[in-house]
Amino acid sequence: MNAGGLVEVVLPGTVEPEGLEIRHGAVPTPGPGQVVILMEATGVSFAEQQMRRGRYYDQPAFPFVPGYDLVGTVLTTGEGVEPGLAGTRVAALVKVGGWASHVVVDAADVVEVPDGIGAAEAETLVVNGITAWQMLHRKARVRAGQTVVVHGANGGVGSVLVQLAHAAGVKVIGTASARHHDALREQGVAPVDYRAGDVAARIRELAPGGVDAVFDHVGGRGIVDSWRLLAPGGTLVSYGSASTRDDQGSKQWPVFKLLGRVWLWNALPNRRRAYFFNVWAGRALAKNGFRDRLRADLSQVFAAFQRGDVTAQIAAQLPLTRAADAMRLAESGTVAGKVVLTP
C-alpha cells in the first residue's frame, strides 16, 4: 500500500471553486486512540457549497480542509487501538478534513465497510445514508402503508430517502424539476414539479387527508407549507435551509428562525411534531450513544445496499486535485447522484 506524501485541498476563505488550494505535506501520525485513513473516496456535499460561501452555520475559521465524510483503508493505528484494524476499509463522518489523501480520525468514529461494497459506492451512502435513515426511522418513525413527502426527491439525501421509504413499505410523493419526473415515476414516486406554482395544492390533491411525514431541506418560507401538509400525528423533519445558500447576512439567522418555528409548532396542541434534524446533534455529550447510533444506522444503510434496497448513485469521479471542477459540477444542478473525489 503506497503511503506517498500528504495531499490536501484547502479552502482559504470565501472563494470561487477555482480559489481552492492544493497543499502538500508529511503523512500524519496517529495519536493515542486514533487511526490514519488512506482516503479512497470523499465527496462534495451541500455543506461544502455553503462553507465556501461562509454560510455553513458552525464551520471552522478559514483556512481549513473541507470534506464532510470519507471512505478509505486504515493505514496506521495509534496507541490503544486494535492493531488488526490496519488494512480494513472503513467509513467516517468528519464534517471537515475529508478532502485529503491521509486523514486522522478517532478509531471510535470509524465504521467498517462490508466486503463487496466499493469505496466510491460506500462514499455516496455515508452522510446521505445516515441522514436519510435517522430522519426516516428515528425522527418520523415511519410505518408500512404511510405516505410521505420528500422535497428534492432526486437529490443526494432525497434519493436515498425515497429508496429507504419504499423498502419500509411507505408511499412517496416527491418534488423535483420536471426533467427528473420520468426517473422518479420509474421508482414508484408520485412526482410534483416544485417550479410549477402551488406545490402544496398539488400535493393535497394526491393526499387529501394530509401526509404522515414531510422531509424538507429547503427551509425558508416553504417550511410553513410543509407543516400544513401534515395529517394529525404527522412529523415534519427540516434538515437544512438550501433556499438561503446564496443569501447575504447572518448564516445563523435562517437556522434560528427555523428553530423558533419548530419550537412554536411543537408547543401547539395539534398532535403534529416538527424536528430540525442535524446529524451532529448530541455529538458533544459524551456517552449518550451518538457513536453507537451512527455505527448502527450506517451499518443498516450498508446492509440495505447489499440487499438491493438502495443504490449508490455516483454522478462523477474526479481526482482530489480537481476539487474545483468537482465543486462546480456539484453546484451546477445538472447531475444526479454524488460527485466523488478519489486520490
Side-chain angles (χ1 to χ4, degrees):
M1 202 184 293
N2 174 28
L6 171 71
V7 182
E8 57 188 5
V9 178
V10 179
L11 184 58
T14 52
V15 294
E16 290 301 303
E18 291 70 26
L20 289 166
E21 295 165 3
I22 307 293
R23 191 162 65 190
H24 297 265
V27 171
T29 310
Q34 294 180 326
V35 296
V36 171
I37 300 173
L38 189 61
M39 185 272 285
E40 293 173 69
T42 180
V44 183
S45 305
F46 188 70
E48 287 92 39
Q49 301 175 32
Q50 290 179 303
M51 286 177 189
R52 100 170 163 76
R53 295 164 167 82
R55 305 278 315 161
Y56 190 79
Y57 67 103
D58 63 348
Q59 69 190 68
F62 295 116
F64 64 92
V65 176
Y68 211 86
D69 58 1
L70 73 148
V71 172
T73 302
V74 175
L75 185 67
T76 48
T77 56
E79 187 193 327
V81 178
E82 172 56 51
L85 202 54
T88 308
R89 177 172 282 164
V90 295
L93 192 66
V94 290
K95 194 184 288 188
V96 294
W99 289 7
S101 59
H102 302 74
V103 184
V104 179
V105 179
D106 284 349
D109 287 328
V110 305
V111 179
E112 279 196 40
V113 177
D115 289 343
I117 304 183
E121 290 175 322
E123 163 55 31
T124 68
L125 299 169
V126 183
V127 65
N128 293 347
I130 291 166
T131 300
W133 182 274
Q134 293 189 342
M135 292 195 301
L136 203 61
H137 293 292
R138 292 193 183 270
K139 295 297 182 195
R141 300 189 174 179
V142 296
R143 296 186 306 281
Q146 292 186 329
T147 300
V148 304
V149 172
V150 174
H151 285 301
N154 62 299
V157 174
S159 57
V160 183
L161 264 171
V162 165
Q163 295 178 84
L164 288 175
H166 281 153
V170 172
K171 296 190 204 65
V172 180
I173 298 167
T175 69
S177 56
R179 69 170 178 270
H180 297 292
H181 287 194
D182 286 344
L184 288 173
R185 276 190 202 97
E186 278 169 35
Q187 292 180 61
V189 175
V192 173
D193 187 350
Y194 68 82
R195 292 196 174 109
D198 197 340
V199 173
R202 179 84 189 86
I203 293 171
R204 271 193 206 92
E205 283 169 24
L206 294 168
V211 296
D212 299 293
V214 179
F215 301 95
D216 187 313
H217 67 304
V218 184
R221 293 192 189 94
I223 199 82
V224 179
D225 285 332
S226 288
W227 174 253
R228 289 179 184 148
L229 288 169
L230 293 176
T235 307
L236 166 64
V237 188
S238 164
Y239 65 105
S241 48
S243 62
T244 64
R245 182 187 76 177
D246 295 313
D247 290 3
Q248 303 302 309
S250 165
K251 59 179 180 269
Q252 276 86 17
W253 179 240
V255 176
F256 289 149
K257 220 157 48 170
L258 264 177
L259 288 171
R261 277 203 171 116
V262 163
W263 180 85
L264 185 68
W265 284 334
N266 284 332
L268 299 172
N270 58 19
R271 293 175 45 218
R272 294 178 290 184
R273 295 186 310 269
Y275 294 103
F276 185 73
F277 180 82
N278 169 13
V279 75
W280 295 100
R283 177 75 175 93
L285 308 167
K287 297 189 181 135
N288 75 338
F290 174 87
R291 283 168 160 159
D292 294 340
R293 280 197 301 275
L294 198 77
R295 178 172 289 111
D297 296 346
L298 185 52
S299 298
Q300 290 273 16
V301 172
F302 286 149
F305 174 79
Q306 288 179 302
R307 283 194 302 272
D309 289 345
V310 176
T311 54
Q313 278 193 297
I314 302 167
Q317 293 188 59
L318 291 98
L320 192 58
T321 49
R322 286 186 58 199
D325 294 334
M327 190 165 247
R328 279 254 174 257
L329 186 60
E331 292 192 16
S332 68
T334 60
V335 294
K338 185 120 184 181
V339 177
V340 175
L341 291 166
T342 55

